[in-house]
Amino acid sequence: MTPLDKAWSPSQWIHRDLTPQEVVLNHQSVTLKGSELARRNLYCKANVRYGATAKNVFDLYTTSPNVPTGCPMVVYIHGGYWQYLSKEESAFLAPSLNASRPDGVVFVAVDYVLASEKEHEEHASMAGIYSAMQDLLRALNVVARKLNCSAIHFIGHSAGAHLLAGMCSLDYPSDQRPWLFKLVKSLWLVSGVYELEPIRHTYVNEPLQLSSAEVEACSPVRQVEKFIRNMKNSSDAVVHIVYGEFEAPTFELESLQYFHALKKAMEETTGGAGFSVPEPVKVSGRDHFDVIDDLKNNHVLEKLPKMFGEDQTATNRTKTPTGLLGITSQNCDLREVSLRDVVNASTYIFTL
């Protein structure tokens, strides 16, 4: 392994009594077991389509099919260097988050096309994976409004943090931005990658084959002005940047550089950004993997249940217009969410 490859290999920097391979396998095992627990104990509406391929789907987890009005939606986008993992290992937070408030939450585990999946070659490039996040945001807004959710909270880990930051940095028509970002209340960017140029020169790039154009368009740190333009439409959202104490130094630097780029651009934004970015949180004793494995018990996310609790109050609840997507009652049955609601969402939601 070259020094540059090691610098971008999180498993090489672990301070646990495990080999790099064992760390990765342990991460997969922990998240899969937690997700299997969710599938056993929660109601799951699986494979809701949001994009162009069969991999552009997500699963919805709730305490029951009948979702009370005002439940927040929590969306998890997995990591794996755009090459590994899936929604099958991405529901591990659902049980603890649903237990964190009386009415539970609407937890969303997201799947996306991986660069290693050549059967989806047209969509397996970084540009294809990245741009699909537009379809995801539109579909989540459709479902959130159909279920009368009070807010949308996003969590992205590693490559998932990159895709989450990217989702908020893409080009959207100006008349759609208020609708798409109004419900967004928090982003949790955990151990993310925000600049792709170094990746081009490592083993990670073998399946990606990044072009210079993709590096420019798909590096969130280069698109902070678009991020601010979009997130200004949220209502006092908070963007949390989190990483472990025992990250590879490159990953810590990525988080700090993205934070400073956002803060600088926010300071230069006329009229204010409309959202906040607290100082990055370095989680003591955690590495790239257990910072997310242990998220449900981690002090960093103690604020999440508190925010969910606040969402139950009338003063903090985002009102959904009566009749939007046919909702006229207090509760909505999750079983009524269909592909009709989300396929071609960019056309459907704006012609209501």
Side-chain angles (χ1 to χ4, degrees), residues 72-124:
M73 175 179 283
V74 185
V75 183
Y76 180 74
I77 305 177
H78 70 80
Y81 257 156
W82 312 280
Q83 301 168 48
Y84 308 105
L85 302 179
S86 70
K87 66 181 176 64
E88 302 307 313
E89 300 94 354
S90 297
F92 61 99
L93 292 171
S96 58
L97 289 177
N98 265 286
S100 71
R101 61 192 306 277
D103 289 337
V105 304
V106 178
F107 187 89
V108 183
V110 177
D111 231 355
Y112 53 88
V113 175
L114 303 177
S116 54
E117 295 173 324
K118 297 307 180 185
E119 66 270 28
H120 301 297
E121 188 169 357
E122 179 184 352
H123 306 279

Side-chain angles (χ1 to χ4, degrees), residues 303-325:
K303 291 182 180 178
L304 266 177
K306 294 178 183 177
M307 287 191 292
F308 296 163
E310 290 169 1
D311 286 336
Q312 292 179 294
T313 67
T315 56
N316 286 293
R317 182 175 299 162
T318 301
K319 301 296 183 182
T320 303
T322 302
L324 183 62
L325 288 174

Side-chain angles (χ1 to χ4, degrees), residues 44-51 53-61 73-77 86-88 90 106-112 132-133 135-144 147 154 334 337-339 341-343 345:
C44 177
K45 174 137 184 119
N47 298 317
V48 179
R49 181 82 168 260
Y50 70 83
T53 82
K55 282 298 297 288
N56 294 132
V57 293
F58 53 74
D59 295 346
L60 299 162
Y61 293 85
M73 175 179 283
V74 185
V75 183
Y76 180 74
I77 305 177
S86 70
K87 66 181 176 64
E88 302 307 313
S90 297
V106 178
F107 187 89
V108 183
V110 177
D111 231 355
Y112 53 88
M133 296 297 106
D135 296 328
L136 175 63
L137 182 60
R138 291 186 173 108
L140 290 171
N141 268 281
V142 171
V143 174
L147 297 178
F154 288 92
L334 187 61
V337 175
S338 67
L339 292 180
D341 296 325
V342 294
V343 171

Side-chain angles (χ1 to χ4, degrees), residues 63-330:
T63 54
S64 74
N66 194 31
V67 181
T69 291
C71 273
M73 175 179 283
V74 185
V75 183
Y76 180 74
I77 305 177
H78 70 80
Y81 257 156
W82 312 280
Q83 301 168 48
Y84 308 105
L85 302 179
S86 70
K87 66 181 176 64
E88 302 307 313
E89 300 94 354
S90 297
F92 61 99
L93 292 171
S96 58
L97 289 177
N98 265 286
S100 71
R101 61 192 306 277
D103 289 337
V105 304
V106 178
F107 187 89
V108 183
V110 177
D111 231 355
Y112 53 88
V113 175
L114 303 177
S116 54
E117 295 173 324
K118 297 307 180 185
E119 66 270 28
H120 301 297
E121 188 169 357
E122 179 184 352
H123 306 279
S125 66
M126 177 58 73
I129 298 168
Y130 202 73
S131 63
M133 296 297 106
Q134 283 188 325
D135 296 328
L136 175 63
L137 182 60
R138 291 186 173 108
L140 290 171
N141 268 281
V142 171
V143 174
R145 283 164 168 78
K146 186 172 184 66
L147 297 178
N148 266 339
C149 291
S150 58
I152 307 177
H153 301 271
F154 288 92
I155 304 169
H157 175 231
S158 194
H162 163 263
L163 293 176
L164 174 53
M167 183 187 72
C168 298
S169 307
L170 289 162
D171 287 312
Y172 299 93
S174 58
D175 60 337
Q176 294 182 14
R177 288 180 213 137
W179 195 93
L180 289 168
F181 289 92
K182 182 178 181 180
L183 288 180
V184 177
K185 298 301 180 185
S186 71
L187 308 180
W188 294 82
L189 303 172
V190 183
S191 301
V193 176
Y194 309 105
E195 170 58 69
L196 294 180
E197 178 57 33
I199 297 291
R200 290 182 70 188
H201 309 285
T202 71
Y203 71 97
V204 181
N205 194 42
E206 291 175 10
L208 292 171
Q209 294 298 300
L210 290 165
S211 68
S212 57
E214 286 178 314
V215 168
E216 178 63 32
C218 304
S219 292
V221 74
R222 304 189 189 198
Q223 306 293 335
V224 290
E225 291 80 9
K226 292 181 182 179
F227 183 98
I228 292 170
R229 184 178 66 193
N230 291 328
M231 287 295 292
K232 283 182 72 171
N233 295 280
S234 64
S235 179
D236 299 320
V238 183
V239 179
H240 301 274
I241 298 175
V242 181
Y243 59 94
E245 178 184 5
F246 300 123
E247 293 281 356
T250 47
F251 277 79
E252 178 174 1
L253 185 61
E254 286 283 302
S255 291
L256 296 177
Q257 287 180 335
Y258 190 54
F259 167 75
H260 289 299
L262 281 177
K263 294 295 282 188
K264 184 176 185 293
M266 290 167 70
E267 291 168 0
E268 297 170 353
T269 301
T270 303
F275 64 94
S276 62
V277 185
E279 290 285 328
V281 175
K282 185 176 188 176
V283 185
S284 177
R286 299 298 178 193
D287 57 49
H288 187 83
F289 299 95
D290 61 6
V291 71
I292 195 72
D293 292 345
D294 196 41
L295 205 60
K296 59 184 178 295
N297 301 317
N298 200 298
H299 71 277
V300 174
L301 289 191
E302 284 181 351
K303 291 182 180 178
L304 266 177
K306 294 178 183 177
M307 287 191 292
F308 296 163
E310 290 169 1
D311 286 336
Q312 292 179 294
T313 67
T315 56
N316 286 293
R317 182 175 299 162
T318 301
K319 301 296 183 182
T320 303
T322 302
L324 183 62
L325 288 174
I327 299 209
T328 56
S329 62
Q330 284 295 101

